[in-house]
Structure formats: C-alpha cells, structure tokens
C-alpha cells in the first residue's frame, strides 16, 4: 500500500493527464490490506476527490456503518461498491438509499457461470 502523499500524487497525475478521456478512480485498499482504519480510508478518499477523481473506491468496508461514513464524507463524489457473493451484500435499493452511485460485480459473473 502506498503512503498517503504518493497515493495522492498518483491520482492527481492521472486526473491531470486524463483531460476527460477516462474515468479516474481514487482507490484505497486499507480494508483488504489488513489496515481497517476508517479514518485513514476517509482521509485518502477525500483527498482523491479533491484531486479530481471521478469515482472513489475502498473495497470491502467492514460493515454498513463504515460504508455510510465513507459515502457521507466524500459526497458528492460517487462511491463504488463491489458486489461479492458470500459477503454480507446489501441489496441495490439499500445501496441506493445509502448513496452508493456505482456497483461493480468484479469476477462474480464469470465465477458464477457454469462452464
């Protein structure tokens, strides 16, 4: 996991280089890297939003309250959530009510398909 300044500068550089051609996602992997620090997660995502990221992503927040805190802290920048079978997945209406704007399925479709 990159330190804060390096992560921020990478997102800012992507935004500056992009000039509207791609969607820049500001992502922090705190929760999947064994660093369940919600304060640091929000600090990073807020900085990425300020740098101009189009969408923000912190895979696998530990619970609904953490997700609500993230969405609230970074609004109005859209937040992405990964739908994953086996997790305590919230329904689409629940995610919408929280304020999630983007839902990814990751490998779920391919791992669910019968070969």
């Amino acid at each position: 996991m990159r330190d804060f300044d390096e992560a921020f500068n990478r997102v800012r550089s992507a935004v500056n280089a992009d000039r509207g051609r791609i969607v820049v996602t500001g992502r922090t992997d705190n929760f999947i890297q064994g660093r369940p620090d919600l304060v640091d997660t929000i600090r990073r995502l807020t900085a990425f939003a300020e740098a101009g990221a189009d969408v923000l992503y912190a895979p696998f927040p530990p619970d609904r309250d953490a997700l609500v805190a993230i969405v609230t802290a970074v609004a109005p920048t859209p937040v992405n959530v990964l739908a994953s079978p086996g997790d305590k997945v919230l329904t689409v209406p629940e995610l919408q009510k929280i304020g999630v704007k983007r839902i990814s399925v990751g490998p779920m479709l391919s791992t669910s398909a019968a070969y």
Side-chain angles (χ1 to χ4, degrees), residues 6 20 25 32 35 41-42 47-48 59 61 67 85-86 93 97 104 110 114-115:
E6 182 181 1
T25 302
I32 62 175
R35 188 177 176 181
T41 298
I42 290 172
F48 299 158
L67 181 57
K97 185 175 180 181
S104 300
S110 64
Y115 295 157

Side-chain angles (χ1 to χ4, degrees), residues 80-101:
N80 181 75
V81 170
L82 176 66
S84 176
D87 291 332
K88 297 176 185 175
V89 177
L90 297 168
T91 66
V92 171
E94 290 169 324
L95 291 171
Q96 289 173 326
K97 185 175 180 181
I98 291 169
V100 170
K101 300 295 184 196

Side-chain angles (χ1 to χ4, degrees), residues 37-105:
D37 185 340
L38 182 60
V39 172
D40 184 63
T41 298
I42 290 172
R43 175 180 176 240
R44 289 169 180 267
L45 295 175
T46 302
F48 299 158
E50 291 171 2
D54 299 302
V55 66
L56 303 171
Y57 183 36
F60 305 113
D63 54 40
R64 183 186 190 282
D65 291 341
L67 181 57
V68 169
I70 289 167
V71 170
T72 301
V74 301
T77 305
V79 172
N80 181 75
V81 170
L82 176 66
S84 176
D87 291 332
K88 297 176 185 175
V89 177
L90 297 168
T91 66
V92 171
E94 290 169 324
L95 291 171
Q96 289 173 326
K97 185 175 180 181
I98 291 169
V100 170
K101 300 295 184 196
R102 182 173 182 230
I103 302 170
S104 300
V105 295

